[in-house]
Coordinates of all heavy atoms in Angstrom, one line a residue:
M14 N 172.9 63.2 151.7 CA 172.7 62.2 150.7 C 171.2 62.0 150.5 O 170.4 61.6 151.4 CB 173.3 60.9 151.1 CG 173.3 59.8 150.1 SD 174.4 60.2 148.7 CE 175.0 58.6 148.3
F15 N 170.7 62.2 149.3 CA 169.2 62.0 149.0 C 168.9 60.6 148.9 O 169.8 59.8 148.4 CB 168.8 62.8 147.7 CG 168.9 64.2 147.8 CD1 168.8 65.0 146.7 CD2 169.1 64.9 149.1 CE1 168.9 66.4 146.8 CE2 169.2 66.3 149.1 CZ 169.1 67.0 148.0
N16 N 167.7 60.2 149.3 CA 167.3 58.8 149.1 C 166.0 58.8 148.3 O 164.9 58.9 148.8 CB 167.1 58.2 150.5 CG 166.6 56.8 150.4 OD1 166.5 56.2 149.3 ND2 166.3 56.1 151.5
L17 N 166.2 58.7 147.0 CA 165.0 58.8 146.1 C 164.4 57.4 145.9 O 163.4 57.3 145.2 CB 165.4 59.4 144.7 CG 166.1 60.7 144.8 CD1 166.3 61.3 143.4 CD2 165.3 61.7 145.7
S18 N 164.9 56.4 146.5 CA 164.4 55.0 146.2 C 163.7 54.4 147.4 O 163.3 53.3 147.5 CB 165.5 54.1 145.8 OG 166.5 54.0 146.7
H19 N 163.5 55.3 148.5 CA 162.8 54.8 149.7 C 161.4 54.4 149.2 O 160.7 55.1 148.5 CB 162.7 55.9 150.7 CG 162.2 55.5 152.0 ND1 160.9 55.1 152.2 CD2 162.8 55.4 153.2 CE1 160.7 54.8 153.5 NE2 161.9 55.0 154.1
P20 N 161.0 53.1 149.6 CA 159.7 52.6 149.2 C 158.5 53.5 149.5 O 157.6 53.6 148.7 CB 159.6 51.3 149.9 CG 160.9 51.0 150.6 CD 161.8 52.2 150.5
K21 N 158.6 54.2 150.7 CA 157.4 55.0 151.0 C 157.4 56.3 150.1 O 156.4 56.8 149.8 CB 157.5 55.4 152.5 CG 157.2 54.3 153.4 CD 155.7 54.0 153.4 CE 155.4 52.9 154.5 NZ 154.0 52.6 154.6
L22 N 158.6 56.7 149.8 CA 158.7 57.9 148.9 C 158.2 57.6 147.5 O 157.5 58.4 146.9 CB 160.2 58.4 148.9 CG 160.4 59.7 148.2 CD1 159.6 60.8 148.8 CD2 161.9 60.1 148.2
V23 N 158.6 56.4 147.0 CA 158.1 56.0 145.7 C 156.6 55.9 145.7 O 155.9 56.3 144.8 CB 158.7 54.6 145.3 CG1 158.1 54.1 144.1 CG2 160.2 54.8 145.1
K24 N 156.0 55.3 146.8 CA 154.6 55.1 146.9 C 153.9 56.5 147.0 O 152.8 56.7 146.4 CB 154.3 54.3 148.2 CG 152.9 53.7 148.2 CD 152.9 52.5 149.2 CE 153.4 51.3 148.6 NZ 153.3 50.1 149.5
L25 N 154.5 57.4 147.7 CA 153.9 58.8 147.9 C 153.9 59.5 146.5 O 152.9 60.1 146.2 CB 154.7 59.6 148.9 CG 154.2 61.0 149.2 CD1 152.8 61.0 149.6 CD2 155.1 61.7 150.2
A26 N 155.0 59.4 145.8 CA 155.1 60.1 144.5 C 154.0 59.5 143.6 O 153.3 60.2 142.9 CB 156.5 59.9 143.9
E27 N 153.9 58.2 143.6 CA 152.9 57.5 142.7 C 151.5 58.0 143.1 O 150.6 58.2 142.3 CB 153.0 56.0 142.9 CG 154.1 55.4 142.1 CD 154.3 53.9 142.3 OE1 153.6 53.3 143.1 OE2 155.2 53.3 141.7
A28 N 151.2 58.0 144.4 CA 149.9 58.4 144.9 C 149.6 59.9 144.5 O 148.4 60.2 144.3 CB 149.8 58.3 146.4
E29 N 150.6 60.7 144.3 CA 150.4 62.1 143.8 C 150.4 62.2 142.3 O 150.3 63.3 141.8 CB 151.5 62.9 144.4 CG 151.4 63.1 146.0 CD 150.2 63.9 146.4 OE1 149.9 64.8 145.8 OE2 149.6 63.5 147.4
G30 N 150.6 61.1 141.6 CA 150.5 61.1 140.2 C 151.8 61.2 139.5 O 151.8 61.6 138.3
Y31 N 152.9 61.0 140.2 CA 154.2 61.2 139.5 C 154.8 59.8 139.2 O 154.8 58.9 140.0 CB 155.2 61.9 140.5 CG 154.8 63.4 140.7 CD1 153.9 63.7 141.7 CD2 155.4 64.4 139.9 CE1 153.6 65.0 141.9 CE2 155.0 65.7 140.1 CZ 154.1 66.0 141.1 OH 153.8 67.3 141.3
A32 N 155.4 59.7 138.0 CA 156.1 58.5 137.7 C 157.5 58.5 138.2 O 158.1 57.4 138.5 CB 156.1 58.3 136.1
E33 N 158.0 59.7 138.4 CA 159.4 59.8 138.9 C 159.4 60.6 140.2 O 158.8 61.6 140.4 CB 160.3 60.6 137.9 CG 160.4 59.9 136.5 CD 161.2 58.7 136.6 OE1 162.1 58.6 137.5 OE2 161.1 57.8 135.7
V34 N 160.2 60.0 141.2 CA 160.3 60.7 142.5 C 161.0 62.0 142.3 O 160.6 63.0 143.0 CB 161.1 59.8 143.5 CG1 161.6 60.5 144.7 CG2 160.3 58.5 143.9
A35 N 161.9 62.1 141.4 CA 162.6 63.4 141.2 C 161.7 64.5 140.8 O 161.8 65.7 141.3 CB 163.7 63.2 140.2
D36 N 160.7 64.2 140.0 CA 159.7 65.2 139.5 C 158.9 65.6 140.7 O 158.5 66.8 140.8 CB 158.9 64.6 138.4 CG 159.7 64.4 137.1 OD1 160.7 65.0 137.0 OD2 159.2 63.5 136.3
F37 N 158.5 64.7 141.5 CA 157.7 64.9 142.7 C 158.4 65.9 143.6 O 157.8 66.9 144.0 CB 157.4 63.6 143.4 CG 156.8 63.8 144.8 CD1 155.5 64.1 145.0 CD2 157.7 63.6 145.9 CE1 155.0 64.2 146.3 CE2 157.2 63.7 147.2 CZ 155.9 64.0 147.4
L38 N 159.7 65.6 143.8 CA 160.4 66.5 144.8 C 160.6 67.9 144.2 O 160.6 68.9 144.9 CB 161.8 65.8 145.0 CG 161.7 64.6 145.9 CD1 163.1 63.9 146.0 CD2 161.2 64.8 147.3
E39 N 160.9 67.9 142.9 CA 161.1 69.2 142.2 C 159.9 70.1 142.4 O 160.0 71.3 142.7 CB 161.4 69.0 140.7 CG 162.1 70.1 140.0 CD 162.6 69.7 138.7 OE1 163.5 68.8 138.6 OE2 162.1 70.2 137.7
D40 N 158.7 69.5 142.2 CA 157.4 70.3 142.3 C 157.1 70.8 143.7 O 156.4 71.7 143.9 CB 156.3 69.5 141.7 CG 156.2 69.6 140.2 OD1 157.0 70.2 139.6 OD2 155.2 69.0 139.7
H41 N 157.6 70.0 144.7 CA 157.2 70.3 146.1 C 158.4 70.8 146.9 O 158.2 71.1 148.1 CB 156.7 69.1 146.7 CG 155.4 68.6 146.1 ND1 154.2 69.4 146.3 CD2 155.0 67.6 145.3 CE1 153.2 68.8 145.6 NE2 153.7 67.7 145.0
A42 N 159.6 71.0 146.4 CA 160.7 71.4 147.1 C 160.6 72.7 147.9 O 161.1 72.9 148.9 CB 162.0 71.5 146.2
V43 N 159.8 73.6 147.3 CA 159.6 75.0 147.9 C 158.2 75.2 148.4 O 157.8 76.4 148.7 CB 160.0 76.1 146.9 CG1 161.5 76.0 146.6 CG2 159.2 76.0 145.6
G44 N 157.4 74.2 148.5 CA 156.0 74.4 149.0 C 156.0 74.6 150.5 O 156.8 74.2 151.2
S45 N 154.9 75.3 150.9 CA 154.7 75.5 152.4 C 153.9 74.3 152.9 O 153.9 74.0 154.1 CB 153.9 76.8 152.6 OG 152.7 76.8 151.9
I46 N 153.2 73.6 152.1 CA 152.4 72.4 152.5 C 152.8 71.3 151.4 O 152.7 71.6 150.2 CB 150.9 72.6 152.5 CG1 150.5 73.6 153.5 CG2 150.2 71.3 152.6 CD1 150.6 73.1 155.0
V47 N 153.3 70.2 151.8 CA 153.7 69.2 150.9 C 153.1 67.8 151.2 O 152.7 67.6 152.3 CB 155.3 69.0 150.9 CG1 155.9 70.4 150.6 CG2 155.8 68.4 152.2
P48 N 153.0 66.9 150.2 CA 152.5 65.6 150.5 C 153.4 64.8 151.5 O 154.6 64.9 151.5 CB 152.5 64.9 149.1 CG 152.5 66.0 148.1 CD 153.3 67.1 148.8
A49 N 152.7 64.1 152.4 CA 153.3 63.3 153.4 C 152.7 61.9 153.4 O 151.6 61.8 152.9 CB 153.2 63.9 154.8
I50 N 153.4 60.9 153.9 CA 152.9 59.6 153.9 C 153.2 59.0 155.3 O 154.2 59.3 155.9 CB 153.5 58.7 152.8 CG1 152.8 57.4 152.7 CG2 155.0 58.6 152.9 CD1 153.1 56.6 151.4
C51 N 152.3 58.1 155.7 CA 152.6 57.3 157.0 C 153.6 56.3 156.7 O 153.5 55.5 155.8 CB 151.2 56.7 157.4 SG 151.4 55.7 158.9
V52 N 154.7 56.2 157.6 CA 155.8 55.3 157.3 C 155.6 54.0 158.1 O 156.5 53.2 158.1 CB 157.1 55.9 157.7 CG1 157.4 57.1 156.7 CG2 157.2 56.4 159.1
A53 N 154.4 53.8 158.8 CA 154.2 52.5 159.4 C 154.1 51.5 158.4 O 153.6 51.7 157.3 CB 152.9 52.6 160.2
S54 N 154.6 50.3 158.7 CA 154.8 49.2 157.6 C 153.4 48.8 157.1 O 153.3 48.3 156.0 CB 155.5 48.1 158.2 OG 154.9 47.5 159.3
D55 N 152.4 48.9 157.9 CA 151.1 48.4 157.5 C 150.1 49.5 157.1 O 148.9 49.3 157.1 CB 150.4 47.5 158.6 CG 150.3 48.3 159.9 OD1 150.9 49.4 160.0 OD2 149.7 47.8 160.9
C56 N 150.6 50.7 156.8 CA 149.7 51.8 156.5 C 150.4 52.7 155.5 O 151.6 52.9 155.5 CB 149.5 52.6 157.8 SG 148.4 54.0 157.6
D57 N 149.6 53.1 154.5 CA 150.2 54.0 153.5 C 149.3 55.3 153.3 O 149.2 55.8 152.2 CB 150.2 53.3 152.1 CG 151.2 52.2 152.1 OD1 152.3 52.4 152.6 OD2 150.9 51.1 151.5
H58 N 148.8 55.7 154.4 CA 147.9 56.9 154.4 C 148.8 58.1 154.0 O 149.9 58.3 154.4 CB 147.4 57.2 155.8 CG 146.5 58.4 155.9 ND1 145.3 58.4 155.2 CD2 146.6 59.5 156.5 CE1 144.7 59.6 155.5 NE2 145.5 60.3 156.3
T59 N 148.2 59.0 153.1 CA 148.8 60.2 152.7 C 148.0 61.4 153.1 O 146.8 61.3 153.2 CB 149.1 60.2 151.1 OG1 147.8 60.2 150.5 CG2 149.9 59.0 150.7
A60 N 148.7 62.5 153.3 CA 148.1 63.8 153.6 C 149.0 64.9 153.3 O 150.2 64.7 153.1 CB 147.7 63.8 155.1
D61 N 148.5 66.1 153.2 CA 149.3 67.3 153.0 C 149.7 67.9 154.3 O 148.9 68.3 155.1 CB 148.6 68.3 152.1 CG 148.4 67.8 150.7 OD1 149.3 67.0 150.3 OD2 147.5 68.3 150.0
L62 N 151.0 68.0 154.6 CA 151.5 68.5 155.9 C 152.7 69.5 155.7 O 153.1 69.7 154.6 CB 152.0 67.3 156.8 CG 150.9 66.3 157.2 CD1 151.5 65.1 157.9 CD2 149.9 67.0 158.1
E63 N 153.2 70.0 156.8 CA 154.3 70.9 156.7 C 155.6 70.2 156.1 O 155.7 69.0 156.3 CB 154.7 71.4 158.1 CG 153.6 72.0 158.9 CD 152.7 70.9 159.6 OE1 153.2 69.9 159.9 OE2 151.5 71.2 159.7
P64 N 156.4 70.9 155.4 CA 157.6 70.3 154.7 C 158.5 69.6 155.7 O 159.2 68.6 155.3 CB 158.3 71.5 154.0 CG 157.2 72.5 153.9 CD 156.3 72.3 155.1
D65 N 158.6 70.1 156.9 CA 159.6 69.5 157.9 C 158.9 68.5 158.8 O 159.5 68.1 159.8 CB 160.3 70.6 158.6 CG 159.4 71.4 159.5 OD1 158.2 71.3 159.3 OD2 159.9 72.1 160.4
Q66 N 157.7 68.1 158.5 CA 157.0 67.1 159.4 C 157.7 65.8 159.5 O 158.0 65.2 158.4 CB 155.6 67.0 158.9 CG 154.7 66.1 159.8 CD 154.6 66.7 161.2 OE1 155.2 66.2 162.2 NE2 153.8 67.7 161.4
R67 N 158.0 65.3 160.7 CA 158.7 64.0 160.9 C 157.9 63.0 161.7 O 158.1 61.8 161.7 CB 160.0 64.2 161.6 CG 161.1 64.9 160.8 CD 162.1 65.5 161.6 NE 162.9 66.5 160.8 CZ 163.8 66.2 160.0 NH1 164.2 64.9 159.9 NH2 164.4 67.1 159.3
A68 N 156.9 63.5 162.4 CA 156.1 62.7 163.3 C 154.7 63.2 163.4 O 154.1 63.3 164.5 CB 156.8 62.6 164.7
G69 N 154.1 63.4 162.3 CA 152.7 63.9 162.2 C 151.7 62.8 162.6 O 152.0 61.6 162.4
F70 N 150.6 63.2 163.1 CA 149.5 62.2 163.5 C 148.9 61.6 162.2 O 148.4 62.3 161.3 CB 148.5 62.9 164.3 CG 147.4 62.0 164.8 CD1 147.6 61.0 165.7 CD2 146.1 62.1 164.2 CE1 146.6 60.1 166.1 CE2 145.1 61.2 164.5 CZ 145.3 60.3 165.5
C71 N 148.8 60.3 162.2 CA 148.2 59.6 161.0 C 146.7 59.4 161.4 O 146.4 58.7 162.4 CB 148.9 58.3 160.8 SG 148.1 57.3 159.5
E72 N 145.8 59.9 160.5 CA 144.4 59.8 160.8 C 143.9 58.4 160.5 O 142.8 58.0 160.8 CB 143.6 60.8 159.9 CG 143.9 62.2 160.4 CD 143.2 63.2 159.5 OE1 142.5 62.8 158.5 OE2 143.2 64.4 159.9
A73 N 144.7 57.6 159.7 CA 144.3 56.2 159.4 C 144.7 55.2 160.5 O 143.8 54.4 160.8 CB 144.9 55.8 158.1
C74 N 145.9 55.3 161.0 CA 146.3 54.3 162.0 C 146.5 54.8 163.4 O 146.8 54.1 164.3 CB 147.5 53.5 161.5 SG 149.0 54.5 161.5
G75 N 146.4 56.2 163.6 CA 146.5 56.8 164.9 C 147.9 56.9 165.5 O 148.0 57.2 166.6
R76 N 148.9 56.6 164.7 CA 150.2 56.7 165.2 C 150.9 58.0 164.7 O 150.4 58.6 163.7 CB 151.1 55.6 164.7 CG 150.8 54.3 165.5 CD 151.5 53.1 164.9 NE 150.7 52.7 163.7 CZ 150.9 51.5 163.1 NH1 151.7 50.6 163.6 NH2 150.2 51.2 162.0
A77 N 151.9 58.5 165.4 CA 152.6 59.7 165.0 C 153.7 59.3 164.0 O 154.9 59.3 164.3 CB 153.2 60.4 166.2
S78 N 153.3 58.9 162.8 CA 154.2 58.3 161.9 C 154.1 58.9 160.5 O 154.5 58.3 159.5 CB 154.0 56.8 161.8 OG 152.7 56.5 161.6
M79 N 153.5 60.1 160.4 CA 153.5 60.8 159.1 C 154.8 61.6 158.9 O 155.2 62.4 159.7 CB 152.3 61.8 159.1 CG 150.9 61.1 159.2 SD 150.4 60.1 157.8 CE 150.4 61.4 156.5
K80 N 155.4 61.3 157.7 CA 156.6 62.1 157.4 C 156.4 62.7 156.0 O 155.8 62.1 155.1 CB 157.8 61.1 157.3 CG 158.4 60.7 158.6 CD 159.7 60.0 158.4 CE 160.2 59.1 159.5 NZ 160.5 59.7 160.7
S81 N 156.9 64.0 155.9 CA 156.7 64.6 154.6 C 157.7 64.0 153.6 O 158.7 63.4 153.9 CB 157.0 66.1 154.7 OG 158.4 66.4 154.5
G82 N 157.3 64.1 152.3 CA 158.2 63.5 151.2 C 159.6 64.1 151.2 O 160.5 63.4 150.9
L83 N 159.7 65.4 151.6 CA 161.0 66.0 151.7 C 161.9 65.4 152.8 O 163.1 65.3 152.6 CB 160.8 67.5 151.9 CG 160.0 68.3 150.8 CD1 160.1 69.8 151.1 CD2 160.4 67.9 149.4
V84 N 161.2 65.1 153.9 CA 162.0 64.5 155.0 C 162.5 63.1 154.6 O 163.6 62.7 154.8 CB 161.1 64.4 156.3 CG1 161.8 63.6 157.4 CG2 160.9 65.9 156.9
I85 N 161.6 62.3 154.0 CA 161.9 61.0 153.6 C 163.1 61.0 152.6 O 164.0 60.1 152.7 CB 160.7 60.2 153.0 CG1 159.6 60.1 154.1 CG2 161.1 58.8 152.6 CD1 158.3 59.5 153.6
S86 N 163.0 61.9 151.7 CA 164.1 62.0 150.7 C 165.4 62.4 151.2 O 166.4 62.2 150.5 CB 163.6 62.9 149.6 OG 163.7 64.3 150.0
G87 N 165.4 63.1 152.4 CA 166.7 63.6 152.9 C 166.9 65.0 152.5 O 168.0 65.5 152.8
M88 N 166.0 65.6 151.9 CA 166.2 67.0 151.4 C 166.1 68.0 152.6 O 166.6 69.1 152.6 CB 165.1 67.4 150.4 CG 165.3 66.8 149.1 SD 164.1 67.2 147.8 CE 164.5 68.9 147.5
I89 N 165.4 67.6 153.7 CA 165.3 68.4 154.9 C 165.9 67.6 156.1 O 165.6 66.4 156.2 CB 163.9 68.7 155.2 CG1 163.4 69.7 154.2 CG2 163.8 69.3 156.6 CD1 162.0 70.2 154.4
Ligands
ZN124 ZN1 149.2 55.4 159.4

């Protein structure tokens, strides 16, 4: 089940210049490096990481809370 309305996913798509989460996912579904966002509640840091990243290091808050957009959406 895809989750295209996750608040962090919406924020990530917006940060990448997309009005629609679906367009964002379509463009990055087959990438080797994809946009990721920190899922900590007080941090919205974004970076380009591996598509299957679930616990990447966040350079902004120092936690292992970076998730790729594909992981957040449920595509991976
Ligand atoms: Zn963070």
Side-chain angles (χ1 to χ4, degrees):
M14 189 65 143
F15 294 167
N16 179 4
L17 303 188
S18 58
H19 189 292
K21 289 288 184 177
L22 188 57
V23 172
K24 199 160 278 183
L25 180 58
E27 281 174 359
E29 293 292 320
Y31 293 86
E33 298 289 337
V34 167
D36 293 337
F37 165 81
L38 292 174
E39 201 168 296
D40 277 4
H41 294 288
V43 294
S45 56
I46 294 289
V47 304
I50 189 168
C51 178
V52 295
S54 58
D55 56 347
C56 182
D57 290 322
H58 181 65
T59 60
D61 290 336
L62 296 173
E63 306 79 33
D65 63 347
Q66 184 59 257
R67 287 160 200 279
F70 178 74
C71 176
E72 291 177 358
C74 71
R76 283 169 285 197
S78 50
M79 295 293 295
K80 282 190 204 291
S81 89
L83 301 188
V84 168
I85 297 173
S86 72
M88 289 180 72
I89 290 184

